[in-house]
């Protein structure tokens, strides 16, 4: 499945990204600890499983991509700490997180359709 095509690979990566972001941000609305931590654990499990499969398929290239991604996350976290340190409102950050969560949920269906190679399926239907 990793060698299916660039659109399928982008769909898989997009689906993983939207899934993890939605599962990490959704528990903010929950009140019980169980409802907060189960989606977070599912997001971590999905990310670890995908990383494991990608490492087997691509080798060291995945580790470089993961290191680069973690570096970007660290730089973004450092940039976000400055406004927080200056007293930015938590309501602003909550609304920003809501926007990111809604965007992830909205983009998950198109990413899933690309991941299952819907374009080739549609071509096959139209040709046959």
């Amino acid at each position: 499945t990793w060698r299916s095509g660039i659109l399928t690979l982008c769909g898989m990566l997009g689906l993983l990204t939207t899934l993890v972001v939605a599962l990490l941000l959704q528990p903010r609305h929950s009140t019980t600890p169980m409802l907060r931590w189960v989606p977070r654990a599912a997001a971590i499990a999905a990310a670890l499983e995908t990383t494991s499969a990608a490492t087997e398929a691509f080798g060291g290239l995945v580790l470089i991509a993961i290191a680069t991604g973690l570096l970007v996350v660290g730089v973004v976290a450092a940039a976000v700490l400055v406004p927080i340190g200056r007293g930015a409102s938590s309501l602003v950050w909550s609304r920003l997180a809501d926007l990111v969560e809604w965007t992830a949920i909205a983009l998950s269906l198109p990413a899933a359709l690309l991941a299952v190679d819907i374009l080739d399926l549609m071509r096959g239907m139209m040709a046959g």
Side-chain angles (χ1 to χ4, degrees), residues 1-119:
T1 61
W2 289 103
R3 310 224 189 279
S4 298
I6 190 69
L7 286 176
T8 305
L9 181 62
C10 289
M12 286 182 207
L13 293 175
L15 181 60
L16 174 70
T17 303
T18 57
L19 171 77
V20 169
V21 166
L23 284 175
L24 287 176
L25 290 176
Q26 184 271 334
R28 296 176 307 111
H29 308 292
S30 301
T31 55
T32 62
M34 176 73 107
L35 292 176
R36 277 192 301 249
W37 289 104
V38 170
R40 292 174 181 163
I44 292 169
L48 289 176
E49 177 60 33
T50 305
T51 303
S52 172
T55 303
E56 288 179 15
F58 294 116
L61 182 64
V62 171
L63 296 176
I64 293 171
I66 290 170
T68 304
L70 289 174
L71 177 66
V72 168
V73 167
V75 168
V76 169
V80 166
L81 286 177
V82 172
I84 290 175
R86 292 183 180 160
S89 171
S90 65
L91 181 62
V92 172
W93 292 111
S94 177
R95 295 297 178 235
L96 181 63
D98 286 341
L99 180 66
V100 170
E101 178 187 356
W102 298 333
T103 304
I105 291 170
L107 292 177
S108 63
L109 181 60
L113 290 174
L114 282 176
V116 297
D117 207 11
I118 192 71
L119 296 177

